[in-house]
Amino acid sequence: MTTDRYGQANLNLWNEWAIIHEKSASYDVEGFKSGKLSLHQLELEEVGDVSGKSLLHLQCHFGLDTLSWARLGATVTGIDFSDKAIEIARRLSCELDIPATFILSDVYGLPDVLDGQFDIVFTSYGVLCWLRDIGRWAHIVAHFLKPGGMFYIAELHPFAYVFDDEADTPELKVRYPYFGQSEPLEFEGDGSYAEPETPVSQRVHYEWDHRLGEIVTALIDAGLRIEFLHEFPYTVDGSMLPSMQLGDDGYYHLSEGDGIIPLMYSIKAQKLA
Ligand SMILES: C[S@@+](CC[C@H](N)C(=O)[O-])C[C@H]1O[C@@H](n2cnc3c(N)ncnc32)[C@H](O)[C@@H]1O
């Protein structure tokens, strides 16, 4: 499990955020309970039909996306290191009678607590910045995939993280390095991306930068064949950069310079037999 001070701070924060997010408007748990899916059009189209497939969801938070894949016919297993998130996910699964297995585990400890291999390994939006070692992560992805199985990630683009997210003008200003460092960046703040106004007691957290080349190369080194890498000039996270605007397409765009930089990407890969 998580033992170092970075992981412990992040775990404390995610435990607080899980409780806050369950009640937040943006996660819309009531909408989910009434039958809506929490998945975006992007991953629905790019992952495709999951019915009858086994799906492992890494860093599943409190399970809405995992349970959405179950609603679409997959046999799902979600894992997350936050005990509060897993508690909520299990409660929702029972309450809504959507079969799912939720496992409390750090990504890196998962091979010690979970057996088997899956048709699909899925993860999305705001996951890799919490992980120190992308090479190890990619090997864990490969470990849990059946030969021929599919890995899919939709994620916030690391290039967009170089800009000042606290600026008070929409003008893009470089603030952070693109080329990652071994020590994480320390952030201090009040609220989460979903509930910026709700304060938390764990005020400091840590994130690791991973450039796109590092992520793709790690997947290839782990034995996966990349089928595509798509980049998009819009995102699901309206707090990623200042003054983002929600477009008619349901994604957030830059209010100035819309279309000029990548804000999210997706990768589909196959485990070689
Ligand atoms: C931004 S959320 C995932 C978002 C998800 N797409 C959603 O909106 O429901 C990131 C998740 O990663 C989990 N997490 C962070 N570090 C982790 C680690 N080392 N092992 C497992 N889970 C971790 C957090 O608890 C959190 O639930």
Side-chain angles (χ1 to χ4, degrees), residues 2 10-11 14-15 17-18 21 27 57-65 79-82 85 105-108 122-127 130-131 193:
T2 302
N10 290 347
L11 174 58
W14 277 110
N15 271 336
W17 279 357
H21 287 177
Y27 273 92
H57 183 182
L58 300 177
Q59 294 174 256
C60 66
H61 201 26
F62 64 97
L64 292 191
D65 286 359
I79 81 98
D80 201 282
F81 80 159
S82 157
S105 175
D106 191 285
V107 165
Y108 296 119
F122 170 85
T123 194
S124 73
Y125 304 123
V127 283
W130 305 100
L131 303 180
Y193 54 92

Side-chain angles (χ1 to χ4, degrees), residues 1 105 108-115 143-144:
M1 272 314 265
S105 175
Y108 296 119
L110 195 56
D112 297 334
V113 295
L114 178 65
D115 291 326
H143 171 89
F144 283 109

Side-chain angles (χ1 to χ4, degrees), residues 146-265:
K146 289 181 184 168
M150 178 219 296
F151 169 64
Y152 180 84
I153 180 170
E155 179 58 299
L156 308 176
H157 201 294
F159 180 65
Y161 282 129
V162 306
F163 300 104
D164 189 350
D165 51 340
E166 291 173 338
D168 40 23
T169 66
E171 196 186 337
L172 295 174
K173 208 169 112 210
V174 173
R175 175 168 172 185
Y176 304 104
Y178 179 70
F179 293 100
Q181 299 143 330
S182 56
E183 287 303 295
L185 292 169
E186 180 176 298
F187 292 93
E188 189 169 349
D190 273 327
S192 82
Y193 54 92
E195 277 290 303
E197 304 306 328
T198 308
V200 285
S201 52
Q202 175 64 50
R203 294 187 46 79
V204 175
H205 72 268
Y206 300 91
E207 296 184 23
W208 285 266
D209 287 327
H210 302 292
R211 55 195 185 276
L212 200 51
E214 182 190 350
I215 297 161
V216 169
T217 306
L219 292 169
I220 294 168
D221 286 349
L224 303 193
R225 186 176 66 83
I226 307 290
E227 284 183 21
F228 62 66
L229 162 59
H230 293 152
E231 294 170 286
F232 305 92
Y234 45 80
T235 178
V236 297
D237 178 8
S239 68
M240 194 173 191
L241 288 168
S243 318
M244 301 202 71
Q245 286 175 348
L246 190 57
D248 294 338
D249 56 3
Y251 292 103
Y252 290 91
H253 295 248
L254 292 180
S255 56
E256 276 183 27
D258 183 20
I260 63 170
I261 62 162
L263 297 178
M264 66 176 186
Y265 68 92

Side-chain angles (χ1 to χ4, degrees), residues 133-153:
D133 185 338
I134 288 302
R136 242 176 99 200
W137 163 82
H139 276 91
I140 284 164
V141 167
H143 171 89
F144 283 109
L145 270 179
K146 289 181 184 168
M150 178 219 296
F151 169 64
Y152 180 84
I153 180 170

